Amino acid sequence: MKHNKKRNTAFLYECLIKELTKAIVREDKKRQFITKKVIKEFFNKNSELRKELNLYNSLLDSKSLNESFSRRLLEESKKDFYGLNRKKIFNSQTKLINVMNQKLGHNVFSNFIPNYKDIASVGLYFQNDRLPAKKRIMLEGTLVRFLGRKENKTAEMKHLDNLEYKTFVNKFNNAYDRTLRTEQKDLLTNYIVSFSDNGLGLKSFLNEEIGRLKKAVAARLLEPSGATYNENFKKVKEKLDGYSQIPINQQMVEEIFYIQDLIAEVSRNGS
């Protein structure tokens, strides 16, 4: 059974998030507006596609699970998948695909998605009823191993001692060359849909996320490090503390995006 990526809701969402990230980096306001509008329309919290996307993410974001729990999670996730209104989802996908083609162009489907193989495997698992028994079993085994994977800590943080505030910009400029972190996707999604709920969801998300980042920065400042290292984290702390005094805007969202990346990489490297 060949995987039809355009019928994979997680793939469609990742293409849109990648397109939005590129538009922000390139300061293409028109493309930002169009992409945000598409995401708000098709992936708001009450949409059928959002419900299906949540099922994909529950598997894609899981790790270090034992075999027994992994198989149970796969089984229950598939039940939930077929418990959704499949006709509505198919029609929504068809409409979304047409809108993406018309508003963003067919190249949007060619965006590089680093974890495409995993997304495709989950999609095939959900829709594998027509596969031969042997292939179904092999596919389930592949996903069991995926769910049992360990955190990858091999990434290298370069020139950390000389870290400067401007590196946030450099990190963001390269962000669309890899998979966005879960917290970054959540930040962008909350920012996008904030226009439809007067920002209530975004305010709630930022309140929790800024609190989490403050704790992470405070922990770093307690560690013995070089003067330059500490000075730059003090700048980050001052920036986070200052957000309570200003209204939420795009600049704040972009800065938090960079800080999320910084904290995640430093934490992964244990520095």
Side-chain angles (χ1 to χ4, degrees):
M1 179 180 178
K2 185 178 180 181
H3 178 249
N4 184 352
K5 64 182 181 181
K6 291 185 180 180
R7 290 296 172 182
N8 185 314
T9 296
F11 171 75
L12 296 176
Y13 178 77
E14 291 292 337
C15 284
L16 288 168
I17 290 294
K18 189 63 65 70
E19 197 66 26
L20 175 61
T21 306
K22 292 194 292 185
I24 292 173
V25 170
R26 295 167 181 170
E27 298 184 351
D28 187 336
K29 303 297 184 183
K30 181 178 179 180
R31 202 163 184 83
Q32 286 181 48
F33 176 80
I34 293 172
T35 310
K36 289 174 185 176
K37 186 176 180 180
V38 174
I39 294 175
K40 284 193 291 182
E41 178 180 354
F42 290 94
F43 289 99
N44 65 76
K45 65 180 180 180
N46 296 317
S47 70
E48 293 299 314
L49 292 184
R50 167 57 68 175
K51 295 174 185 176
E52 182 167 275
L53 178 63
N54 289 340
L55 292 179
Y56 274 88
N57 286 339
S58 71
L59 296 179
L60 292 168
D61 293 341
S62 296
K63 57 175 67 71
S64 300
L65 304 181
N66 62 49
E67 181 176 347
S68 176
F69 188 85
S70 294
R71 293 187 185 280
R72 181 67 185 277
L73 178 60
L74 288 170
E75 180 182 352
E76 294 301 320
S77 296
K78 178 174 278 193
K79 288 180 182 178
D80 290 343
F81 179 84
Y82 283 102
L84 298 175
N85 190 319
R86 303 310 313 163
K87 184 176 181 179
K88 281 188 176 181
I89 287 177
F90 183 87
N91 290 338
S92 294
Q93 287 176 333
T94 300
K95 184 178 179 181
L96 173 58
I97 292 167
N98 289 335
V99 169
M100 290 172 71
N101 272 316
Q102 294 169 10
K103 302 292 185 180
L104 298 170
H106 67 275
N107 285 335
V108 69
F109 300 106
S110 298
N111 275 325
F112 175 64
I113 310 298
N115 65 332
Y116 171 73
K117 183 178 179 181
D118 300 329
I119 290 174
S121 293
V122 174
L124 278 173
Y125 174 75
F126 281 145
Q127 305 176 57
N128 70 2
D129 289 347
R130 295 182 182 180
L131 287 176
K134 183 177 180 180
K135 289 188 176 180
R136 292 201 304 271
I137 293 172
M138 291 175 65
L139 179 58
E140 182 175 322
T142 296
L143 286 176
V144 167
R145 289 190 293 275
F146 171 76
L147 293 172
R149 73 198 185 286
K150 303 298 182 182
E151 184 76 27
N152 182 10
K153 297 184 178 181
T154 60
E156 180 181 359
M157 183 67 176
K158 299 180 180 180
H159 307 302
L160 186 60
D161 289 339
N162 296 319
L163 182 67
E164 294 181 1
Y165 189 76
K166 65 181 181 180
T167 59
F168 294 154
V169 177
N170 294 331
K171 295 298 294 182
F172 190 57
N173 284 339
N174 295 318
Y176 58 84
D177 288 333
R178 57 156 174 74
T179 304
L180 296 181
R181 305 180 194 283
T182 299
E183 60 268 28
Q184 290 175 318
K185 292 178 185 177
D186 290 343
L187 173 60
L188 286 176
T189 302
N190 275 283
Y191 176 63
I192 292 162
V193 302
S194 66
F195 302 101
S196 62
D197 66 355
N198 294 318
L200 295 178
L202 179 61
K203 289 176 184 177
S204 176
F205 173 82
L206 285 178
N207 183 54
E208 293 185 7
E209 182 62 4
I210 290 174
R212 180 185 74 83
L213 294 171
K214 283 183 178 180
K215 290 180 180 178
V217 170
R220 292 294 162 188
L221 289 172
L222 291 175
E223 296 178 355
S225 303
T228 302
Y229 178 96
N230 281 338
E231 184 62 29
N232 283 298
F233 269 100
K234 286 178 181 178
K235 291 180 181 178
V236 176
K237 183 179 183 300
E238 291 173 1
K239 177 66 69 172
L240 291 170
D241 289 338
Y243 287 146
S244 62
Q245 308 299 320
I246 59 176
I248 298 172
N249 53 35
Q250 182 169 322
Q251 181 179 346
M252 180 193 295
V253 171
E254 291 179 3
E255 288 174 352
I256 293 174
F257 185 100
Y258 312 147
I259 296 173
Q260 287 175 323
D261 216 21
L262 171 69
I263 295 301
E265 290 208 26
V266 172
S267 299
R268 284 166 65 86
N269 285 276
S271 300

